[in-house]
Amino acid sequence: MNLKTLRQSLASALEDAGIDYSTSAFPPPVVVPPTVVIVPGNPWIAPVTLGRPGTPQVEVSFRLTCIVANLDNQGSLDQLETLVFAVLTNLPRGWEVGDVSPPSVETIGPSDLLVSDVQVTTLTTPKLRS
């Protein structure tokens, strides 16, 4: 499996759940909330020594940045919590959830946004060239 396929499996799961998303190497300069931005995690790719020696596996991580408009304290927090739980309940099979950051306010352009990061990881066997 390749990284594009893994990222697309996340994106498809979010799309199937009716969640707006974008994929990016880093959060984009303009966002339209509510949305989830799929960004490479840290570490993005880590070797794992499981399985047979001829079949290497790697752990791939992504940070799913959940974003809502910060218009009303309680309403925005409720909307962010709903978005985070929608992401968690719609992850594809084989993905594990790591840390979920507490809500924080971020200013992007002229807008204050309420955000929370969800760390997700999965094990995969890289597609090797023959």
Side-chain angles (χ1 to χ4, degrees):
M1 183 167 289
N2 63 34
L3 293 174
K4 181 180 178 181
T5 303
L6 288 172
R7 192 172 38 256
Q8 190 56 49
S9 73
L10 279 173
S12 294
L14 297 177
E15 187 174 48
D16 290 348
I19 298 170
D20 185 32
Y21 71 91
S22 64
T23 59
S24 178
F26 50 88
V30 176
V31 295
V32 179
T35 191
V36 175
V37 180
I38 303 171
V39 181
N42 184 21
W44 185 22
I45 302 170
V48 178
T49 57
L50 301 174
R52 301 180 305 251
T55 310
Q57 287 192 305
V58 295
E59 182 178 78
V60 177
S61 67
F62 287 97
R63 182 181 75 214
L64 308 179
T65 301
C66 300
I67 303 169
V68 300
N70 189 29
L71 302 173
D72 167 78
N73 218 6
Q74 190 58 48
S76 296
L77 183 58
D78 289 345
Q79 188 180 25
L80 182 63
E81 290 170 348
T82 299
L83 182 58
V84 168
F85 277 98
V87 167
L88 295 177
T89 57
N90 287 286
L91 286 174
R93 180 176 290 188
W95 287 86
E96 293 187 16
V97 177
D99 293 336
V100 178
S101 72
S104 64
V105 176
E106 303 230 356
T107 302
I108 298 179
S111 303
D112 284 340
L113 305 170
L114 192 61
V115 303
S116 181
D117 291 331
V118 178
Q119 301 292 330
V120 296
T121 61
T122 192
L123 286 177
T124 188
T125 302
K127 185 176 181 180
L128 301 175
R129 296 181 191 193
S130 45

Coordinates of all heavy atoms in Angstrom, one line a residue, residues 44-118:
W44 N 5.9 10.9 10.8 CA 5.0 10.6 9.8 C 5.1 9.1 9.4 O 4.1 8.4 9.3 CB 5.3 11.4 8.6 CG 4.4 11.3 7.4 CD1 3.1 10.9 7.4 CD2 4.7 11.7 6.1 NE1 2.6 10.9 6.2 CE2 3.5 11.4 5.3 CE3 5.8 12.2 5.4 CZ2 3.5 11.7 4.0 CZ3 5.7 12.5 4.1 CH2 4.5 12.2 3.4
I45 N 6.3 8.6 9.2 CA 6.5 7.2 8.9 C 7.6 6.7 9.8 O 8.7 7.3 10.0 CB 7.0 7.0 7.4 CG1 6.0 7.6 6.5 CG2 7.3 5.6 7.1 CD1 6.5 7.7 5.1
A46 N 7.3 5.6 10.5 CA 8.3 5.0 11.4 C 8.4 3.5 11.1 O 7.4 2.8 10.9 CB 7.8 5.2 12.9
P47 N 9.6 3.0 11.0 CA 9.8 1.5 10.8 C 9.3 0.7 12.0 O 9.4 1.1 13.1 CB 11.3 1.4 10.5 CG 11.9 2.5 11.2 CD 10.9 3.6 11.2
V48 N 8.7 -0.4 11.7 CA 8.3 -1.4 12.7 C 8.9 -2.7 12.4 O 9.0 -3.1 11.2 CB 6.7 -1.5 12.7 CG1 6.2 -2.5 13.7 CG2 6.1 -0.1 12.9
T49 N 9.3 -3.5 13.4 CA 10.0 -4.7 13.1 C 9.1 -5.9 13.3 O 9.5 -7.0 13.8 CB 11.2 -4.8 14.0 OG1 10.8 -4.7 15.4 CG2 12.3 -3.8 13.7
L50 N 7.8 -5.8 13.0 CA 6.9 -6.9 13.1 C 6.9 -7.7 11.8 O 7.2 -7.1 10.8 CB 5.5 -6.4 13.4 CG 5.3 -5.5 14.7 CD1 3.9 -5.0 14.7 CD2 5.6 -6.4 15.9
G51 N 6.4 -8.9 11.9 CA 6.2 -9.7 10.7 C 7.5 -10.3 10.2 O 8.5 -10.4 10.9
R52 N 7.4 -10.8 9.0 CA 8.6 -11.5 8.4 C 9.6 -10.5 8.0 O 9.3 -9.4 7.5 CB 8.1 -12.4 7.3 CG 7.0 -13.4 7.7 CD 6.6 -14.2 6.4 NE 6.1 -13.3 5.4 CZ 4.9 -13.2 5.0 NH1 4.0 -13.9 5.6 NH2 4.6 -12.4 4.0
P53 N 10.9 -10.9 8.0 CA 12.0 -10.0 7.6 C 11.8 -9.5 6.1 O 12.1 -8.4 5.8 CB 13.2 -10.8 7.7 CG 12.9 -11.9 8.7 CD 11.4 -12.2 8.5
G54 N 11.3 -10.4 5.3 CA 11.1 -10.0 3.8 C 9.9 -9.2 3.6 O 9.7 -8.7 2.5
T55 N 9.0 -9.0 4.6 CA 7.8 -8.1 4.5 C 7.9 -7.0 5.5 O 7.3 -7.1 6.6 CB 6.6 -9.0 4.7 OG1 6.7 -10.2 3.9 CG2 5.3 -8.3 4.4
P56 N 8.6 -6.0 5.2 CA 8.7 -4.9 6.2 C 7.4 -4.2 6.4 O 6.6 -4.1 5.5 CB 9.7 -3.9 5.6 CG 9.6 -4.2 4.1 CD 9.3 -5.6 4.0
Q57 N 7.2 -3.7 7.6 CA 6.0 -2.9 7.9 C 6.4 -1.5 8.4 O 7.5 -1.4 9.0 CB 5.1 -3.6 8.9 CG 4.3 -4.8 8.3 CD 3.3 -5.2 9.3 OE1 3.5 -5.5 10.4 NE2 2.1 -5.3 8.7
V58 N 5.6 -0.6 8.2 CA 5.9 0.8 8.7 C 4.6 1.3 9.4 O 3.5 0.8 9.0 CB 6.3 1.8 7.6 CG1 7.6 1.4 7.0 CG2 5.3 1.9 6.5
E59 N 4.8 2.1 10.3 CA 3.7 2.8 11.0 C 3.6 4.2 10.4 O 4.5 4.9 10.3 CB 3.9 2.9 12.5 CG 2.8 3.5 13.2 CD 3.0 3.6 14.7 OE1 3.8 4.5 15.1 OE2 2.5 2.7 15.4
V60 N 2.4 4.5 9.9 CA 2.1 5.8 9.3 C 1.2 6.5 10.2 O 0.2 6.0 10.6 CB 1.5 5.6 7.9 CG1 1.2 6.9 7.2 CG2 2.5 4.8 7.0
S61 N 1.5 7.8 10.4 CA 0.6 8.6 11.2 C 0.2 9.9 10.5 O 0.9 10.4 9.7 CB 1.3 8.9 12.6 OG 2.4 9.8 12.4
F62 N -1.0 10.3 10.9 CA -1.6 11.5 10.3 C -2.2 12.3 11.5 O -2.6 11.7 12.5 CB -2.7 11.3 9.3 CG -2.2 10.8 8.0 CD1 -2.2 9.4 7.7 CD2 -1.7 11.7 7.0 CE1 -1.7 9.0 6.5 CE2 -1.2 11.2 5.8 CZ -1.2 9.9 5.5
R63 N -2.2 13.6 11.4 CA -2.8 14.5 12.3 C -4.1 15.0 11.6 O -4.0 15.6 10.5 CB -1.9 15.7 12.7 CG -2.5 16.6 13.7 CD -1.6 17.7 14.0 NE -1.6 18.7 12.9 CZ -0.6 19.4 12.5 NH1 0.6 19.3 13.1 NH2 -0.7 20.2 11.5
L64 N -5.2 14.7 12.2 CA -6.5 15.2 11.7 C -6.9 16.5 12.5 O -7.2 16.4 13.6 CB -7.6 14.2 11.8 CG -7.2 12.8 11.2 CD1 -8.4 11.8 11.4 CD2 -6.8 12.9 9.8
T65 N -6.7 17.6 11.9 CA -7.0 18.9 12.5 C -8.5 19.2 12.3 O -8.9 19.5 11.2 CB -6.1 20.0 12.0 OG1 -4.8 19.6 12.2 CG2 -6.4 21.3 12.8
C66 N -9.3 19.1 13.4 CA -10.7 19.4 13.3 C -10.9 20.9 13.6 O -10.4 21.4 14.6 CB -11.4 18.6 14.4 SG -11.3 16.8 14.1
I67 N -11.6 21.6 12.7 CA -11.7 23.0 12.8 C -13.2 23.5 12.7 O -13.9 23.0 11.8 CB -11.0 23.7 11.6 CG1 -9.5 23.2 11.6 CG2 -11.1 25.2 11.6 CD1 -8.7 23.6 10.3
V68 N -13.6 24.4 13.6 CA -14.9 25.0 13.6 C -14.7 26.5 13.8 O -13.7 27.0 14.3 CB -15.9 24.5 14.6 CG1 -16.1 23.0 14.4 CG2 -15.4 24.7 16.0
A69 N -15.7 27.3 13.4 CA -15.6 28.7 13.6 C -15.8 29.0 15.1 O -16.5 28.3 15.8 CB -16.7 29.4 12.9
N70 N -15.0 30.0 15.6 CA -15.1 30.3 17.0 C -16.0 31.5 17.2 O -15.6 32.7 17.4 CB -13.7 30.6 17.6 CG -13.7 30.8 19.1 OD1 -14.5 30.2 19.8 ND2 -12.8 31.6 19.6
L71 N -17.3 31.3 17.1 CA -18.3 32.4 17.1 C -19.0 32.5 18.5 O -19.2 33.6 19.0 CB -19.4 32.2 16.1 CG -18.8 32.0 14.6 CD1 -19.9 31.7 13.7 CD2 -18.1 33.3 14.2
D72 N -19.3 31.4 19.1 CA -20.0 31.3 20.4 C -19.3 30.3 21.2 O -19.1 29.2 20.8 CB -21.4 31.0 20.1 CG -22.2 30.6 21.4 OD1 -22.5 31.5 22.1 OD2 -22.4 29.4 21.7
N73 N -18.9 30.7 22.4 CA -18.1 29.8 23.2 C -18.7 28.4 23.4 O -18.1 27.4 23.0 CB -17.9 30.4 24.6 CG -16.5 30.1 25.2 OD1 -15.6 29.6 24.5 ND2 -16.3 30.5 26.4
Q74 N -19.9 28.2 23.9 CA -20.5 26.9 24.1 C -20.9 26.3 22.8 O -20.7 25.1 22.6 CB -21.7 27.0 25.1 CG -22.2 25.7 25.5 CD -21.2 24.8 26.3 OE1 -20.5 25.3 27.2 NE2 -21.0 23.6 25.9
G75 N -21.5 27.1 21.9 CA -21.9 26.5 20.6 C -20.7 26.0 19.8 O -20.8 24.9 19.2
S76 N -19.6 26.7 19.8 CA -18.4 26.3 19.1 C -17.8 25.1 19.7 O -17.4 24.1 19.0 CB -17.4 27.4 19.0 OG -17.9 28.5 18.3
L77 N -17.8 25.0 21.0 CA -17.2 23.8 21.7 C -18.1 22.6 21.4 O -17.6 21.5 21.1 CB -17.1 24.1 23.2 CG -16.5 22.9 24.0 CD1 -15.1 22.6 23.5 CD2 -16.5 23.3 25.5
D78 N -19.4 22.8 21.4 CA -20.3 21.6 21.1 C -20.1 21.2 19.6 O -20.0 20.0 19.4 CB -21.8 22.1 21.3 CG -22.2 22.2 22.7 OD1 -21.4 21.7 23.6 OD2 -23.2 22.8 23.0
Q79 N -19.9 22.1 18.7 CA -19.7 21.8 17.3 C -18.4 21.1 17.1 O -18.3 20.1 16.4 CB -19.8 23.0 16.4 CG -19.8 22.7 15.0 CD -19.9 23.9 14.1 OE1 -19.5 25.0 14.5 NE2 -20.3 23.8 12.9
L80 N -17.3 21.5 17.8 CA -16.0 20.9 17.7 C -16.1 19.5 18.3 O -15.6 18.5 17.7 CB -15.0 21.7 18.5 CG -13.5 21.1 18.4 CD1 -13.0 21.1 16.9 CD2 -12.6 21.9 19.3
E81 N -16.7 19.3 19.4 CA -16.8 18.0 20.0 C -17.6 17.0 19.1 O -17.2 15.8 18.9 CB -17.5 18.0 21.4 CG -16.6 18.7 22.5 CD -17.4 19.0 23.7 OE1 -18.6 18.9 23.8 OE2 -16.7 19.3 24.7
T82 N -18.6 17.5 18.5 CA -19.4 16.7 17.6 C -18.5 16.3 16.4 O -18.6 15.1 15.9 CB -20.7 17.4 17.1 OG1 -21.5 17.7 18.2 CG2 -21.5 16.6 16.1
L83 N -17.7 17.2 15.9 CA -16.9 16.9 14.7 C -15.8 15.9 15.1 O -15.6 14.9 14.4 CB -16.2 18.2 14.2 CG -15.3 18.1 13.0 CD1 -16.0 17.5 11.8 CD2 -14.7 19.5 12.7
V84 N -15.2 16.1 16.3 CA -14.1 15.1 16.7 C -14.7 13.7 16.9 O -14.2 12.7 16.4 CB -13.5 15.6 18.0 CG1 -12.7 14.5 18.7 CG2 -12.6 16.8 17.8
F85 N -15.9 13.6 17.5 CA -16.5 12.3 17.7 C -17.0 11.7 16.3 O -16.9 10.5 16.1 CB -17.6 12.3 18.7 CG -17.1 12.2 20.1 CD1 -17.0 13.3 20.9 CD2 -16.8 11.0 20.6 CE1 -16.5 13.2 22.1 CE2 -16.3 10.9 21.9 CZ -16.1 12.0 22.7
A86 N -17.4 12.5 15.4 CA -17.7 12.0 14.1 C -16.5 11.4 13.4 O -16.6 10.4 12.7 CB -18.3 13.1 13.2
V87 N -15.4 12.1 13.5 CA -14.1 11.6 12.9 C -13.7 10.2 13.6 O -13.4 9.3 12.9 CB -13.0 12.6 13.1 CG1 -11.6 12.0 12.8 CG2 -13.2 13.8 12.2
L88 N -13.8 10.2 14.9 CA -13.4 9.0 15.7 C -14.3 7.8 15.3 O -13.8 6.7 15.2 CB -13.5 9.2 17.2 CG -12.5 10.3 17.7 CD1 -12.7 10.5 19.2 CD2 -11.1 9.9 17.5
T89 N -15.6 8.0 15.1 CA -16.5 6.9 14.9 C -16.4 6.5 13.4 O -17.0 5.4 13.1 CB -17.9 7.2 15.3 OG1 -18.3 8.4 14.6 CG2 -18.0 7.4 16.8
N90 N -15.8 7.2 12.5 CA -15.8 6.9 11.1 C -14.4 6.6 10.6 O -14.2 6.6 9.3 CB -16.4 8.0 10.3 CG -17.9 8.1 10.5 OD1 -18.7 7.2 10.0 ND2 -18.4 9.0 11.3
L91 N -13.4 6.4 11.4 CA -12.1 5.9 10.9 C -12.2 4.6 10.3 O -13.0 3.7 10.7 CB -11.1 5.9 12.1 CG -10.7 7.2 12.7 CD1 -9.8 7.0 13.9 CD2 -9.9 8.0 11.6
P92 N -11.5 4.4 9.2 CA -11.4 3.1 8.6 C -10.9 2.0 9.5 O -10.1 2.3 10.5 CB -10.5 3.2 7.4 CG -10.4 4.7 7.2 CD -10.6 5.3 8.5
R93 N -11.2 0.8 9.3 CA -10.7 -0.4 10.0 C -9.2 -0.4 10.0 O -8.6 -0.1 8.9 CB -11.3 -1.7 9.5 CG -10.8 -2.9 10.2 CD -11.4 -4.1 9.7 NE -12.8 -4.0 10.1 CZ -13.7 -5.0 10.0 NH1 -13.4 -6.1 9.4 NH2 -14.9 -4.8 10.4
G94 N -8.6 -0.7 11.1 CA -7.1 -0.8 11.1 C -6.4 0.5 11.6 O -5.2 0.5 11.7
W95 N -7.2 1.5 11.8 CA -6.6 2.8 12.2 C -6.7 2.9 13.7 O -7.8 2.5 14.3 CB -7.3 4.0 11.6 CG -6.9 4.1 10.2 CD1 -7.4 3.5 9.1 CD2 -5.8 4.9 9.6 NE1 -6.8 3.9 7.9 CE2 -5.8 4.8 8.3 CE3 -4.9 5.8 10.2 CZ2 -4.8 5.4 7.4 CZ3 -3.9 6.4 9.4 CH2 -3.9 6.2 8.0
E96 N -5.7 3.4 14.4 CA -5.8 3.6 15.9 C -5.7 5.0 16.2 O -5.0 5.8 15.5 CB -4.6 2.8 16.5 CG -4.7 1.3 16.4 CD -3.6 0.6 17.2 OE1 -3.0 1.2 18.1 OE2 -3.4 -0.6 16.9
V97 N -6.4 5.4 17.3 CA -6.4 6.8 17.7 C -5.4 7.0 18.8 O -5.2 6.2 19.7 CB -7.8 7.2 18.3 CG1 -7.8 8.6 18.8 CG2 -8.9 7.0 17.2
G98 N -4.6 8.1 18.6 CA -3.6 8.4 19.6 C -4.2 9.6 20.5 O -5.3 9.6 20.9
D99 N -3.3 10.6 20.7 CA -3.7 11.7 21.4 C -4.8 12.6 20.7 O -4.7 12.7 19.5 CB -2.5 12.6 21.8 CG -1.6 12.0 22.7 OD1 -2.0 11.0 23.5 OD2 -0.4 12.3 22.7
V100 N -5.7 13.2 21.5 CA -6.6 14.2 21.0 C -6.3 15.4 21.8 O -6.4 15.4 23.0 CB -8.1 13.7 21.2 CG1 -9.0 14.8 20.7 CG2 -8.3 12.4 20.4
S101 N -5.9 16.5 21.1 CA -5.5 17.7 21.8 C -6.8 18.4 22.4 O -7.9 18.3 21.8 CB -4.8 18.6 20.9 OG -5.6 19.2 20.0
P102 N -6.6 19.2 23.5 CA -7.7 20.0 24.0 C -8.0 21.1 23.0 O -7.1 21.5 22.2 CB -7.1 20.6 25.3 CG -5.7 20.4 25.3 CD -5.4 19.3 24.3
P103 N -9.2 21.6 23.0 CA -9.5 22.7 22.1 C -8.6 23.9 22.3 O -8.3 24.2 23.4 CB -11.0 23.0 22.5 CG -11.5 21.8 23.2 CD -10.3 21.2 23.8
S104 N -8.3 24.6 21.2 CA -7.5 25.8 21.3 C -8.0 26.8 20.2 O -8.6 26.3 19.2 CB -6.0 25.6 21.2 OG -5.7 25.0 19.9
V105 N -7.8 28.0 20.4 CA -8.2 29.1 19.5 C -7.0 29.4 18.6 O -5.9 29.6 19.1 CB -8.7 30.3 20.2 CG1 -9.0 31.4 19.1 CG2 -9.9 30.0 21.0
E106 N -7.2 29.3 17.3 CA -6.1 29.7 16.3 C -6.7 30.8 15.4 O -7.9 30.7 15.0 CB -5.7 28.5 15.5 CG -5.2 27.3 16.4 CD -3.9 26.7 15.9 OE1 -3.4 27.2 14.9 OE2 -3.4 25.9 16.6
T107 N -5.9 31.7 15.1 CA -6.3 32.8 14.1 C -5.6 32.5 12.8 O -4.4 32.4 12.7 CB -5.8 34.1 14.6 OG1 -6.4 34.4 15.9 CG2 -6.3 35.2 13.7
I108 N -6.5 32.3 11.8 CA -6.0 32.1 10.4 C -6.7 33.2 9.6 O -7.9 33.3 9.5 CB -6.4 30.7 9.9 CG1 -5.7 29.6 10.7 CG2 -6.0 30.6 8.4 CD1 -6.0 28.2 10.3
G109 N -5.8 34.1 9.0 CA -6.3 35.2 8.3 C -7.1 36.1 9.3 O -6.6 36.3 10.4
P110 N -8.3 36.5 8.9 CA -9.1 37.4 9.8 C -10.0 36.6 10.8 O -10.7 37.2 11.6 CB -10.0 38.2 8.9 CG -10.2 37.2 7.7 CD -8.9 36.4 7.6
S111 N -9.9 35.3 10.8 CA -10.9 34.5 11.5 C -10.3 33.8 12.7 O -9.2 33.2 12.6 CB -11.5 33.4 10.6 OG -12.1 34.0 9.5
D112 N -11.0 33.8 13.8 CA -10.7 32.9 15.0 C -11.3 31.6 14.8 O -12.6 31.5 14.6 CB -11.1 33.6 16.3 CG -10.2 34.8 16.7 OD1 -9.1 34.8 16.2 OD2 -10.7 35.6 17.5
L113 N -10.6 30.5 15.0 CA -11.1 29.2 14.8 C -10.8 28.4 16.0 O -9.8 28.6 16.7 CB -10.4 28.5 13.6 CG -10.5 29.3 12.3 CD1 -9.6 28.6 11.2 CD2 -11.9 29.3 11.8
L114 N -11.7 27.5 16.4 CA -11.5 26.5 17.5 C -11.1 25.2 16.9 O -11.7 24.7 15.9 CB -12.8 26.4 18.2 CG -12.8 25.7 19.6 CD1 -11.8 26.4 20.5 CD2 -14.1 25.5 20.2
V115 N -9.9 24.7 17.3 CA -9.3 23.5 16.7 C -9.0 22.5 17.7 O -8.7 22.8 18.9 CB -8.1 23.9 15.9 CG1 -8.4 24.9 14.8 CG2 -7.0 24.3 16.7
S116 N -8.9 21.2 17.3 CA -8.5 20.1 18.1 C -7.8 19.1 17.1 O -8.4 18.8 16.1 CB -9.6 19.5 18.8 OG -9.1 18.4 19.6
D117 N -6.6 18.6 17.5 CA -5.9 17.7 16.7 C -6.2 16.2 17.2 O -6.1 16.0 18.4 CB -4.4 17.9 16.7 CG -4.0 19.2 16.0 OD1 -4.7 19.6 15.0 OD2 -3.0 19.8 16.4
V118 N -6.4 15.3 16.2 CA -6.6 13.9 16.5 C -5.5 13.2 15.8 O -5.3 13.3 14.6 CB -8.0 13.4 16.0 CG1 -8.1 11.9 16.3 CG2 -9.1 14.2 16.6

